[in-house]
Amino acid sequence: MRYCINCCIHLLPNDLHGQCFRCSGPSHNNQKCPVCKGENKIPLYTDSKQMKLLAVLEVRTDHRESWNGFFCLRKGKLCSLIFGLIIMTLVMASYILTGAKHGLLLIPSPFHYGAFTTNPSLMDNESLSDMKDHYQPSKMNISYVKDYPSIKLIIDTITSKIEFMTRQRPDIEELRKQEPHMFSVIPTKFLPNSKNPCWYAEYRGNTTTDPYATNSYALYSKRFRIIFDYLRKVFWNHLYHYKGKHYRLRCLPHFYIIGQPKCGTTDLYDRLRLHPEVRFSAIKEPHWWTRKRFGIIRLRDGFHDRYPVEDYLDLFDLAAHQIQGVLQSEVVKEHGKMNNIIIGEASASTMWDNNAWIFFYDNSTEGEPPFLIQDFIHAFQPNAKLIIMLRDPVERLYSDYLYFASANKSAEDFHEKVAESLQLFENCMLDYSLRACVYNNTLNNAMPVRLQVGLYVVYLLDWLTVFDKDQILVLRLEDHASNMKYTMHMVFQFLDLGPLSEKQEALITKSPASNTRRPEDRSLGPMLPTTKAILRDFYRPFNTKLAQVLFDDAFLWKRT
């Protein structure tokens, strides 16, 4: 094979050197050269096939060529070398930036919290996974070495800015303007002979209509399709016919397990659903109030079509069928007895996740959400009961990290992510209120670990602005693990459930724990002592306030 070196550094197959018109000479003409004609690029060909940009060039000189050809060859090599170095520099720069962004490099992260985006329209076209792009380089990096004094200064700054302010509760008309369709579907009054909030809604379809054809839960998940296939088969058997019209029983949950993640909510759910008077939604965590009604399926995928409230109500149809059977029984009809079956819902995001508000509600409150999840739940269900399971926030965060981190998990990596998250949180607190930082979508998606989920008292105080204290049961995972029978009795009493036989109680309280730490995560061992000390300092003022609100020093978590 012969190589022809011209100003384009073009490699020609089949000894086509003779076709070039003095390409090595000083009078080379681009318009006459069949290779160079009309080309301003720097293509690279070998045997008529285009090579990769970083291919290694082996250039052999023809001793019959003139000295001009030799210098052209040297020039071609130099250009190729420079071009290759530029490409390699760009690739390395991309790797370094990407690695630092995702926490893959064992160097201090350069990302620093910047200004809030106060105009939602500026963020509408961005996916939630891209929110880290709003963060700017930091002036101070925390060393990979466990530098407790430096991080302690950050925590002291955060602590000095903490102020627990009571939020302004929106009135019902403001809520109605935000969600008119929801208010048109859910009534303000429910059936008087049912302990669970239920009502009859007219169904206008016919026998050939699929009532679940457009349900988003069924469309986006194969797991739910099996459930809806069954519901289709029995749907017409459960319609109530009155004066030539068809009615279906619709229900909302009587109680909600609202949080927190990695605090034992799955175990509580698995035990509670064994009680004969308790039913749950078709799936454990619909996440409708916090995510699906805003069109969030997976946080990393951005927004999709919003799930209407009808899709959420469909998840309770299985339980509604059983409640309807009780309501239509002769005992209830003749003796006026109540239906005692209640429905629960256990989305662990309900208590804390208000990240989507910035995209849908007016941002005129200096970064604080004007409406929260509990405002809407209370508008429809002022008598709803709420169960919260909490855990030492330090241990919760490490468990959360082990569960959600996908690669390179280690105690050292966790420490680095904690340090970076504290930096981001500090810089938010320098300019905004505690509530604005806790509920800020941009900050929450930028932090490598979810520090904010452990700020229990911030969320609890906001729930207490709309619900009475006796409507909320707060449990500790540590108590549940050490005396499960006691905590389950507290739950049964709180929900006013009927008595159990010894066999039923044993089944509920003696079952193995659910959703425990995976063996591969246990093998990583505990977090570093320095990391634990840092997190203890960070969460201390929040735990102190929580213990004051609940009148229980156990929520200080001093012994764990």
Side-chain angles (χ1 to χ4, degrees), residues 485-544:
K485 187 174 181 178
Y486 175 74
T487 57
M488 292 309 299
H489 273 245
M490 288 182 64
V491 174
F492 297 156
Q493 184 177 1
F494 175 71
L495 297 177
D496 194 23
L497 297 175
L500 296 170
S501 65
E502 290 185 7
K503 186 177 180 180
Q504 289 173 324
E505 185 173 306
L507 178 64
I508 293 174
T509 59
K510 294 182 179 180
S511 301
S514 301
N515 201 21
T516 56
R517 186 170 295 179
R518 296 169 295 212
E520 61 269 26
D521 291 338
R522 287 198 296 268
S523 66
L524 295 175
M527 73 184 81
L528 299 174
T530 305
T531 315
K532 179 173 284 192
I534 289 168
L535 290 172
R536 288 253 178 269
D537 290 341
F538 172 69
Y539 284 117
R540 183 174 292 112
F542 300 99
N543 293 343
T544 300

Side-chain angles (χ1 to χ4, degrees), residues 145-159:
V145 179
K146 276 59 74 177
D147 188 359
Y148 177 79
S150 297
I151 304 177
K152 185 65 166 62
L153 293 176
I154 294 176
I155 296 174
D156 290 343
T157 301
I158 294 172
T159 302

Side-chain angles (χ1 to χ4, degrees), residues 193 326-327 329-339:
N193 56 343
V326 174
L327 293 176
S329 65
E330 295 299 324
V331 176
V332 173
K333 287 182 179 180
E334 293 180 6
H335 302 284
K337 290 188 176 181
M338 289 278 292
N339 158 64

Side-chain angles (χ1 to χ4, degrees), residues 122-313:
L122 296 178
M123 305 172 70
D124 286 343
N125 295 325
E126 301 179 50
S127 68
L128 295 182
S129 61
D130 293 332
M131 288 302 133
K132 293 183 183 179
D133 294 340
H134 287 278
Y135 294 80
Q136 304 300 323
S138 171
K139 294 181 180 179
M140 181 186 72
N141 289 324
I142 295 179
S143 173
Y144 178 68
V145 179
K146 276 59 74 177
D147 188 359
Y148 177 79
S150 297
I151 304 177
K152 185 65 166 62
L153 293 176
I154 294 176
I155 296 174
D156 290 343
T157 301
I158 294 172
T159 302
S160 67
K161 297 292 182 179
I162 295 175
E163 191 173 3
F164 299 101
M165 300 291 292
T166 302
R167 68 182 287 262
Q168 184 68 35
R169 178 178 167 181
D171 60 45
I172 191 69
E173 289 305 317
E174 291 179 290
L175 298 174
R176 196 183 300 274
K177 290 178 183 178
Q178 298 300 323
E179 300 287 352
H181 178 68
M182 195 191 308
F183 278 87
S184 69
V185 173
I186 302 176
T188 55
K189 294 183 179 180
F190 305 113
L191 295 177
N193 56 343
S194 176
K195 182 178 177 181
N196 196 86
C198 298
W199 69 97
Y200 280 104
E202 183 179 354
Y203 179 71
R204 298 178 181 178
N206 52 45
T207 54
T208 61
T209 304
D210 180 1
Y212 305 105
T214 60
N215 187 286
S216 299
Y217 285 99
L219 294 175
Y220 283 106
S221 176
K222 293 181 180 179
R223 290 189 299 118
F224 305 149
R225 291 173 192 170
I226 298 174
I227 298 172
F228 286 110
D229 285 343
Y230 171 77
L231 288 171
R232 288 185 185 95
K233 295 177 182 178
V234 301
F235 181 80
W236 276 91
N237 297 333
H238 293 279
L239 288 181
Y240 177 67
H241 308 284
Y242 180 73
K243 293 185 177 181
K245 294 183 178 180
H246 308 299
Y247 296 88
R248 63 190 297 188
L249 188 67
R250 287 296 209 178
C251 298
L252 281 169
H254 173 71
F255 70 95
Y256 297 84
I257 301 175
I258 63 174
Q260 289 287 61
K262 310 311 297 175
C263 289
T265 57
T266 299
D267 187 76
L268 178 61
Y269 160 83
D270 284 337
R271 297 180 191 284
L272 195 50
R273 66 178 180 168
L274 296 176
H275 196 287
E277 293 181 2
V278 175
R279 303 292 184 272
F280 275 93
S281 52
I283 55 176
K284 174 186 176 282
E285 296 187 272
H287 295 297
W288 185 79
W289 290 101
T290 55
R291 299 170 187 170
K292 300 299 189 295
R293 72 185 179 101
F294 297 111
I296 302 173
I297 300 175
R298 297 181 184 87
L299 293 176
R300 64 178 180 270
D301 294 337
F303 291 99
H304 296 259
D305 292 336
R306 300 179 69 174
Y307 288 31
V309 65
E310 291 88 345
D311 290 4
Y312 179 61
L313 297 175

Side-chain angles (χ1 to χ4, degrees), residues 104-117:
L104 300 176
L105 303 179
L106 297 182
I107 59 174
S109 172
F111 292 97
H112 189 71
Y113 183 74
F116 278 100
T117 301

